[in-house]
Amino acid sequence: VEKGVFRKNKRIRTVLKFENVLKVTSKNINQKKNDRFLDFLAIETFKMPDKNYEMNLIFSGDMIIKLIVEAIEVTLDDQGNAWDTKNVPKHKVM
């Protein structure tokens, strides 16, 4: 792990795959702009009274994808190698 002043900012393209999805909704995402990448920040998960789960995928720019799932089964897969970037994320801490 790179530390200190020699640490470089990196980016990598990643795919998140969810199983057992019952419903999907989104907020502030223009689905007609399918060439745009979303900058993923966090996942919020809540158990619902019906024993399903609500999962909020939070992206920069106040974009959210909400999933209702029967069980939490998620796979994360990096697509290729990371690259150096001069951009430094500046997001509010939740």
Side-chain angles (χ1 to χ4, degrees):
V1 175
E2 297 174 358
K3 295 182 180 179
V5 296
F6 299 107
R7 181 175 173 264
K8 294 181 180 177
N9 298 307
K10 298 191 181 269
R11 299 267 174 144
I12 191 164
R13 285 192 176 95
T14 304
V15 173
L16 275 170
K17 179 182 175 187
F18 294 86
E19 303 286 343
N20 305 304
V21 176
L22 301 172
K23 182 179 178 181
V24 179
T25 58
S26 64
K27 173 186 165 192
N28 297 328
I29 297 175
N30 184 345
Q31 295 184 22
K32 292 181 181 178
K33 290 188 175 183
N34 59 6
D35 61 337
R36 181 167 185 221
F37 289 97
L38 302 178
D39 294 319
F40 178 67
L41 302 177
I43 298 177
E44 292 178 327
T45 304
F46 307 97
K47 191 165 187 175
M48 299 169 57
D50 64 2
K51 308 238 173 161
N52 289 325
Y53 295 89
E54 176 183 317
M55 300 179 73
N56 294 313
L57 311 179
I58 302 168
F59 301 89
S60 63
D62 194 32
M63 293 184 275
I64 298 173
I65 297 174
K66 180 166 82 171
L67 306 173
I68 305 298
V69 299
E70 291 179 309
I72 299 173
E73 289 187 51
V74 182
T75 304
L76 176 71
D77 187 23
D78 291 340
Q79 303 293 297
N81 297 318
W83 65 91
D84 294 340
T85 181
K86 292 181 182 181
N87 297 327
V88 178
K90 294 177 185 174
H91 306 289
K92 294 178 185 177
V93 177
M94 298 174 63

